[in-house]
Amino acid sequence: MGDWKIGDDRRRRSTDQLRDLDRANDGQVFWDTEAPADFTYLFHPDHVLVGAEDVEDFEAFAARLDKGVLAEPPRRDDVRLLGGDLVRYVLAPRPGGESVPDVLALLERDGLRLGAATPDHWVHVSPGGGGGGQACPATEPEETGLTEPWPPVAPQDEGCEVKVVVVDTGWNPPSGSDGRTPWLKGVDGDDELNGPDLRPYAGHGTFIAGVVRCLAPRTEVFVEGFAVGGVGGGGILESEIVGQLEEAMAHHPQVINLSAGCRTRLDLPSLAFARFHRRHLRGKDVVVVAAAGNDGWAAPFWPAAFDWAVGVGSLDRDGRVSSFSNYGVSADVYALGRNIVNAFPDGTFVCHESPNKGDVRVFSTGLARWSGTSFAAPVVAGLIARQISETGSSAADARDAVLARAVYDSDPVIGPHQELRQPYA
């Protein structure tokens, strides 16, 4: 296919990230463009997701397809998703080489309702680059000489306990008992199994849990890991992350932080996230805070773009919207996301993305500096949790109160006592 890494650093980074994700998932990551740096969404090469009420139509239209496209009917996967509300099919090899999006386009041409069936998209915590469909962070972690977090710990003497679940890459247990990061005492989660050689995305969930705890010290935080042990290269399929979200709900959270997401085919709402909301969140007092993504554009990034999620974009230290931050429908509010400092595992990290590929970074202070909408999201999640704790309000009322403190601005600029910004409607 040639060397698609030619171009600016953003395109090279996108290509590096995508190649890494594909290798970590045994070549099961496909994209919608020839050059990987230009992709808008990622998908499994054989999976199709269908809502339960559209199963009969999908199977009927698939049966009518030319046998040169589908030599065999789609096989219904035996994985039970969302209590059967979501069905995953596996397409047999296509003699003509049609991709999943090609097959869906043919079905829709013949009359299948648009959105009834979708690819199984890859949800990822990868940095943003020159391509699309990426989440966070915007940089690889950097060493810092600082000994305190930023934003700093906001002391809180009184208030009820609030439950927050961070659905992310897992938890670094040593950080919870490290004297250098006392704000993480009592945090628990799925052990991400770090060693002296740190994998890509190691510490991502721990760092986010630390940001939440700094803003809201009286929170019970659990890190639900979807890439424990480095499995998946920081990515997970739509059809699989809903299971992790169901596990998160078993902890009875009032706030869920998800610093990951995806673009989708035709920018249609993510079917898996929509079904999770319908089954588990509708009528429940749970607020989902999601990163808006780091591609610097306005296309919808799911789940942040849903009206039931609080999508968070990033501000620089000077209060302006970060150059990497998504905006538009995915960003309901902006918070500090550039050069955040918080807990990080000790160890050696070798950068794997251009232009720093091969750079060796040694972490030995229990902290790191990191940037991205990944880290702006837990600022907002922490503020909502603190509002619940201090007022005893519902999660929904706390969300509304926190968002009401944001100032509307076409180009958000932060002031000394103004934490959040909203774009003009």
Side-chain angles (χ1 to χ4, degrees):
M1 290 179 61
D3 185 1
W4 293 112
K5 298 182 183 181
I6 297 173
D8 61 22
D9 286 344
R10 286 173 60 86
R11 290 178 56 78
R12 290 189 178 99
R13 288 187 65 217
S14 288
T15 301
D16 292 340
Q17 294 157 12
L18 192 46
R19 298 294 194 206
D20 288 345
L21 179 63
D22 191 39
R23 280 192 293 268
N25 291 283
D26 301 321
Q28 299 301 295
V29 179
F30 278 43
W31 48 91
D32 63 324
T33 56
E34 184 176 8
D38 298 326
F39 83 92
T40 53
Y41 64 93
L42 308 175
F43 59 94
H44 190 282
D46 300 316
H47 289 178
V48 173
L49 301 182
V50 183
E53 69 275 16
D54 291 308
V55 160
E56 289 186 10
D57 281 350
F58 171 75
E59 292 182 354
F61 280 107
R64 293 201 291 268
L65 270 184
D66 186 282
K67 297 306 178 185
V69 178
L70 287 181
E72 301 175 14
R75 174 177 61 84
R76 190 184 298 203
D77 206 320
D78 58 5
V79 175
R80 187 170 175 82
L81 303 173
L82 297 174
D85 195 30
L86 185 67
V87 179
R88 188 169 75 187
Y89 285 88
V90 180
L91 300 185
R94 279 72 71 195
E98 288 84 359
S99 68
V100 167
D102 292 336
V103 172
L104 294 178
L106 291 172
L107 295 174
E108 291 160 357
R109 180 202 63 187
D110 291 344
L112 182 67
R113 180 178 63 83
L114 184 65
T118 76
D120 193 357
H121 300 95
W122 284 96
V123 178
H124 197 218
V125 298
S126 170
Q134 303 180 53
C136 345
T139 63
E140 292 181 280
E142 300 173 345
E143 308 100 318
T144 179
L146 297 179
T147 58
E148 298 292 335
W150 185 265
V153 176
Q156 184 183 3
D157 296 327
E158 297 182 356
C160 62
E161 194 166 80
V162 180
K163 290 187 177 181
V164 176
V165 174
V166 172
V167 180
D168 212 273
T169 60
W171 163 241
N172 181 53
S175 297
S177 57
D178 193 326
R180 299 168 299 180
T181 54
W183 57 93
L184 282 172
K185 183 178 180 180
V187 171
D188 196 7
D190 296 323
D191 190 342
E192 67 179 8
L193 306 174
N194 289 313
D197 296 322
L198 299 176
R199 301 177 300 269
Y201 319 119
H204 193 263
T206 300
F207 194 101
I208 287 167
V211 175
V212 172
R213 265 295 185 84
C214 285
L215 274 295
R218 295 182 67 85
T219 52
E220 179 183 331
V221 180
F222 186 88
V223 183
E224 177 68 41
F226 65 72
V228 171
V231 175
I236 185 172
L237 290 166
E238 265 183 298
S239 60
E240 295 174 351
I241 197 169
V242 291
Q244 298 296 322
L245 288 167
E246 287 187 308
E247 291 184 24
M249 290 296 291
H251 293 276
H252 306 291
Q254 288 136 297
V255 181
I256 294 175
N257 187 97
L258 181 60
S259 288
C262 63
R263 289 284 303 278
T264 57
R265 173 179 175 259
L266 303 179
D267 286 326
L268 294 170
S270 160
L271 185 59
F273 283 124
R275 292 308 170 98
F276 169 75
H277 171 262
R278 188 171 79 174
R279 182 173 179 83
H280 290 289
L281 295 180
R282 187 178 292 175
K284 302 284 182 62
D285 188 37
V286 181
V287 170
V288 174
V289 180
N294 296 326
D295 296 298
W297 58 18
F301 190 78
W302 310 99
F306 281 109
D307 58 6
W308 48 262
V310 180
V312 185
S314 172
L315 293 176
D316 290 348
R317 291 284 186 103
D318 65 3
R320 295 193 179 276
V321 175
S322 304
S323 59
F324 55 76
S325 179
N326 284 353
Y327 51 94
V329 68
S330 303
D332 299 302
V333 68
Y334 297 87
L336 181 66
R338 176 89 76 174
N339 292 330
I340 302 290
V341 176
N342 216 290
F344 192 77
D346 287 344
T348 300
F349 179 83
V350 180
C351 294
H352 65 293
E353 297 170 5
S354 299
N356 300 314
K357 187 182 292 188
D359 183 33
V360 177
R361 299 177 178 178
V362 178
F363 294 89
S364 59
T365 65
L367 300 174
R369 185 189 302 271
W370 226 341
S371 298
T373 59
S374 262
F375 315 119
V379 170
V380 175
L383 290 172
I384 293 171
R386 188 183 186 103
Q387 180 76 14
I388 297 170
S389 178
E390 292 181 341
T391 66
S393 70
S394 68
D397 285 346
R399 172 200 61 206
D400 294 345
V402 168
L403 294 181
R405 298 205 297 265
V407 177
Y408 284 91
D409 200 330
S410 60
D411 184 15
V413 179
I414 201 166
H417 304 294
Q418 298 167 340
E419 298 164 317
L420 304 175
R421 283 290 181 274
Q422 289 183 349
Y424 278 124

Short mmCIF file of all heavy atoms in Angstrom, two decimals, residues 36 87 132 136 150 217 220 224 310 336 350 363 368 383 406 416:
data_model
loop_
_atom_site.label_atom_id
_atom_site.label_comp_id
_atom_site.label_asym_id
_atom_site.label_seq_id
_atom_site.Cartn_x
_atom_site.Cartn_y
_atom_site.Cartn_z
N PRO A 36 -4.55 5.15 6.33
CA PRO A 36 -5.01 5.09 7.72
C PRO A 36 -5.06 6.45 8.39
O PRO A 36 -5.91 6.67 9.26
CB PRO A 36 -4.01 4.15 8.40
CG PRO A 36 -2.84 4.07 7.49
CD PRO A 36 -3.35 4.29 6.11
N VAL A 87 -28.01 -7.46 19.08
CA VAL A 87 -27.59 -8.74 18.51
C VAL A 87 -26.36 -8.52 17.63
O VAL A 87 -26.34 -7.58 16.82
CB VAL A 87 -28.72 -9.38 17.69
CG1 VAL A 87 -28.26 -10.71 17.08
CG2 VAL A 87 -29.96 -9.59 18.56
N GLY A 132 -9.37 10.53 12.22
CA GLY A 132 -10.59 10.77 12.95
C GLY A 132 -10.91 9.63 13.87
O GLY A 132 -10.19 8.67 14.00
N CYS A 136 -8.68 9.99 23.45
CA CYS A 136 -7.80 10.73 24.31
C CYS A 136 -6.77 9.79 24.88
O CYS A 136 -7.03 8.61 24.96
CB CYS A 136 -8.58 11.33 25.47
SG CYS A 136 -10.35 11.32 25.26
N TRP A 150 -2.06 18.93 39.62
CA TRP A 150 -2.71 20.12 39.08
C TRP A 150 -3.81 19.68 38.13
O TRP A 150 -3.55 18.93 37.22
CB TRP A 150 -1.71 21.02 38.33
CG TRP A 150 -2.37 22.30 37.90
CD1 TRP A 150 -2.94 22.57 36.68
CD2 TRP A 150 -2.59 23.45 38.71
NE1 TRP A 150 -3.49 23.81 36.68
CE2 TRP A 150 -3.29 24.39 37.91
CE3 TRP A 150 -2.28 23.79 40.03
CZ2 TRP A 150 -3.67 25.63 38.39
CZ3 TRP A 150 -2.66 25.03 40.50
CH2 TRP A 150 -3.34 25.93 39.68
N PRO A 217 -12.71 15.05 47.02
CA PRO A 217 -12.01 14.09 47.90
C PRO A 217 -12.92 13.06 48.56
O PRO A 217 -12.47 11.96 48.89
CB PRO A 217 -11.34 14.99 48.94
CG PRO A 217 -11.20 16.32 48.27
CD PRO A 217 -12.40 16.44 47.39
N GLU A 220 -16.07 7.80 46.53
CA GLU A 220 -15.65 6.40 46.45
C GLU A 220 -15.45 6.10 44.97
O GLU A 220 -16.42 6.08 44.20
CB GLU A 220 -16.71 5.48 47.05
CG GLU A 220 -16.37 4.01 46.97
CD GLU A 220 -17.49 3.13 47.50
OE1 GLU A 220 -18.24 3.59 48.40
OE2 GLU A 220 -17.61 1.99 47.02
N GLU A 224 -13.09 0.64 36.57
CA GLU A 224 -13.52 -0.55 35.83
C GLU A 224 -12.65 -0.66 34.58
O GLU A 224 -12.69 0.18 33.70
CB GLU A 224 -15.00 -0.41 35.42
CG GLU A 224 -15.54 -1.54 34.59
CD GLU A 224 -15.62 -2.83 35.37
OE1 GLU A 224 -16.03 -2.81 36.55
OE2 GLU A 224 -15.28 -3.88 34.78
N VAL A 310 -22.69 14.14 29.25
CA VAL A 310 -22.03 15.44 29.33
C VAL A 310 -20.71 15.31 28.58
O VAL A 310 -19.77 14.67 29.05
CB VAL A 310 -21.76 15.85 30.79
CG1 VAL A 310 -21.06 17.21 30.83
CG2 VAL A 310 -23.06 15.91 31.58
N LEU A 336 -10.29 22.46 31.97
CA LEU A 336 -8.84 22.34 31.81
C LEU A 336 -8.47 20.91 31.40
O LEU A 336 -8.84 19.95 32.05
CB LEU A 336 -8.15 22.68 33.13
CG LEU A 336 -6.62 22.63 33.12
CD1 LEU A 336 -6.06 23.71 32.20
CD2 LEU A 336 -6.07 22.79 34.53
N VAL A 350 8.57 3.87 26.77
CA VAL A 350 9.17 4.17 25.46
C VAL A 350 8.07 4.67 24.54
O VAL A 350 7.10 3.96 24.26
CB VAL A 350 9.85 2.93 24.86
CG1 VAL A 350 10.47 3.28 23.50
CG2 VAL A 350 10.93 2.39 25.80
N PHE A 363 9.76 7.43 34.68
CA PHE A 363 8.84 7.99 35.67
C PHE A 363 9.21 7.44 37.05
O PHE A 363 9.20 6.23 37.25
CB PHE A 363 7.40 7.65 35.31
CG PHE A 363 6.93 8.30 34.04
CD1 PHE A 363 7.10 7.66 32.82
CD2 PHE A 363 6.37 9.56 34.06
CE1 PHE A 363 6.69 8.27 31.63
CE2 PHE A 363 5.95 10.18 32.89
CZ PHE A 363 6.12 9.53 31.67
N ALA A 368 2.78 12.28 36.63
CA ALA A 368 3.09 12.57 35.23
C ALA A 368 2.32 13.80 34.81
O ALA A 368 1.39 14.26 35.50
CB ALA A 368 2.74 11.38 34.34
N LEU A 383 -16.35 17.74 39.67
CA LEU A 383 -17.19 18.86 40.11
C LEU A 383 -18.62 18.42 40.36
O LEU A 383 -19.27 18.86 41.32
CB LEU A 383 -17.15 19.98 39.07
CG LEU A 383 -15.83 20.74 38.93
CD1 LEU A 383 -15.87 21.68 37.72
CD2 LEU A 383 -15.51 21.53 40.20
N ALA A 406 -21.05 27.44 34.24
CA ALA A 406 -20.20 27.70 33.08
C ALA A 406 -20.66 28.97 32.39
O ALA A 406 -21.84 29.32 32.39
CB ALA A 406 -20.25 26.53 32.11
N PRO A 416 -9.75 33.76 36.66
CA PRO A 416 -9.14 33.20 37.86
C PRO A 416 -10.10 32.39 38.72
O PRO A 416 -9.67 31.51 39.45
CB PRO A 416 -8.63 34.44 38.60
CG PRO A 416 -9.43 35.57 38.06
CD PRO A 416 -9.71 35.23 36.64
#
